[in-house]
Amino acid sequence: MTESQSKNAPQVDGLKLENEAGKEKLDKFHSLVVFFEGTGNTLDPITTQIGLFADACRHTRVYDASDVELVSGINSVKVKLKMSFDGCGVTNGISGTLFATGLDEQVDSVVEVVNRMLTVSAEKNSRIQKVMVVSVGLSRGAMASMKLALKLSDSSFSSRISKSMLLFDPVPGNSIWTGFPYSCVKCQDLSKTGNILRRVLALYPYEPLPDVAMHAPCFPIYPRNTFVEEEVTLGCHQGAVFGTIPNPQKPYEMASVLSFRRIKDFLDSENVELQF
């Protein structure tokens, strides 16, 4: 982050994060937390910590926009919702595995839920007229988080949306030599998401996979006013987000424990309610 970016960015004070003005608290937003799994991973049974945190999140789960109107209290109190998605290789088979097919449909369903939350809030004269979207994504799931930021910025409700996201080893799945199969290539420039994208934490495990796996991560371009943290962490790709144990000894165990701590701290700072 450049000096100018640092001056313009929101500041983190302990576990309390305020918006760019430094005054408008997160409790003035309805919230939607979204979990995107890696390509071949399922949420049930749990494959990685993405599923673990999705399950631990105490927010009310919704599956599509029609569920929003069933949530009580949206006209008078802060509503906390969540969505979660299996990997695109699980939902869309070989085309999802090779070409990331299915990510756009997942993202579109999230946008529909956000739009419906804001529409219902307006119709019922809710005292809360904004939505904070917090997303956590692994590998291709991180690419889905990036796609989501772009689509929310194009929404007619964009002035009433704020977004933060945790990207864990964002991997489009393309060859670094040829670019084939050219998946997710249009979502890596986030500079035009403007004021919507408030905060990003991007974590990159330092151990590489073989070149043939085409798992080179990407480094997105962010808006100048986004608070961005990019960190190198222990482990190798999703091997760094498997289960945790009380007394880690092996390298992959220590990597997973470190990842757990970083993800939990991020979600805590975004006022996401967790119960393990």
Side-chain angles (χ1 to χ4, degrees):
M1 178 180 287
T2 66
E3 182 179 356
S4 60
Q5 285 176 303
S6 178
K7 289 180 179 179
N8 292 331
Q11 299 300 308
V12 178
D13 180 14
L15 294 180
K16 298 297 182 181
L17 183 68
E18 299 179 353
N19 74 347
E20 62 184 20
K23 296 180 180 179
E24 192 170 16
K25 305 291 186 178
L26 295 182
D27 60 8
K28 293 186 178 180
F29 292 78
H30 292 306
S31 69
L32 174 65
V33 187
V34 189
F35 299 90
F36 294 105
E37 254 293 8
T39 302
N41 300 336
T42 58
L43 294 165
D44 185 13
I46 291 173
T47 307
T48 72
Q49 291 180 30
I50 304 302
L52 182 68
F53 279 99
D55 183 63
C57 179
R58 296 298 89 193
H59 298 197
T60 301
R61 184 172 186 180
V62 294
Y63 295 90
D64 55 43
S66 64
D67 293 337
V68 173
E69 298 184 54
L70 303 178
V71 179
S72 61
I74 196 167
N75 63 323
S76 58
V77 298
K78 175 178 178 177
V79 169
K80 297 184 175 184
L81 307 180
K82 71 175 180 180
M83 301 180 75
S84 51
F85 298 92
D86 290 321
C88 57
V90 176
T91 59
N92 290 73
I94 190 66
S95 65
T97 300
L98 293 179
F99 305 109
T101 305
L103 291 186
D104 286 331
E105 288 77 7
Q106 293 179 2
V107 169
D108 287 343
S109 68
V110 177
V111 174
E112 290 172 1
V113 165
V114 173
N115 289 346
R116 192 59 193 151
M117 290 174 72
L118 290 167
T119 299
V120 172
S121 293
E123 291 173 348
K124 296 188 176 183
N125 295 316
S126 170
R127 67 180 181 85
I128 300 176
Q129 294 287 333
K130 297 181 180 181
V131 173
M132 167 62 69
V133 181
V134 179
S135 64
V136 179
L138 164 66
S139 191
R140 286 260 183 78
M143 305 306 295
S145 284
M146 294 156 58
K147 285 176 173 283
L148 179 58
L150 287 168
K151 290 201 174 184
L152 289 175
S153 69
D154 286 336
S155 168
S156 59
F157 294 104
S158 60
S159 63
R160 296 163 58 194
I161 300 170
S162 185
K163 185 176 192 302
S164 62
M165 60 186 184
L166 188 152
L167 309 176
F168 199 99
D169 211 15
V171 168
N174 299 328
S175 167
I176 61 174
W177 300 110
T178 66
F180 180 82
Y182 316 110
S183 64
C184 306
V185 293
K186 295 182 179 180
C187 68
Q188 298 180 38
D189 184 354
L190 302 176
S191 60
K192 295 183 180 180
T193 54
N195 293 329
I196 278 186
L197 190 56
R198 180 175 55 86
R199 180 190 181 191
V200 177
L201 171 60
L203 301 175
Y204 295 92
Y206 83 99
E207 296 181 32
L209 285 164
D211 291 349
V212 69
M214 295 196 298
H215 269 59
C218 70
F219 296 88
I221 302 170
Y222 300 108
R224 291 179 60 83
N225 61 337
T226 300
F227 184 88
V228 179
E229 299 170 272
E230 294 179 316
E231 297 181 4
V232 176
T233 189
L234 298 177
C236 177
H237 197 49
Q238 71 175 28
V241 280
F242 284 144
T244 62
I245 60 174
N247 298 298
Q249 301 295 326
K250 298 178 181 179
Y252 71 89
E253 294 171 343
M254 290 186 283
S256 290
V257 170
L258 178 59
S259 298
F260 180 91
R261 181 75 267 170
R262 202 66 180 93
I263 296 170
K264 185 177 185 302
D265 285 349
F266 173 83
L267 292 174
D268 283 345
S269 69
E270 293 293 334
N271 291 348
V272 176
E273 297 179 12
L274 301 170
Q275 181 179 344
F276 293 96

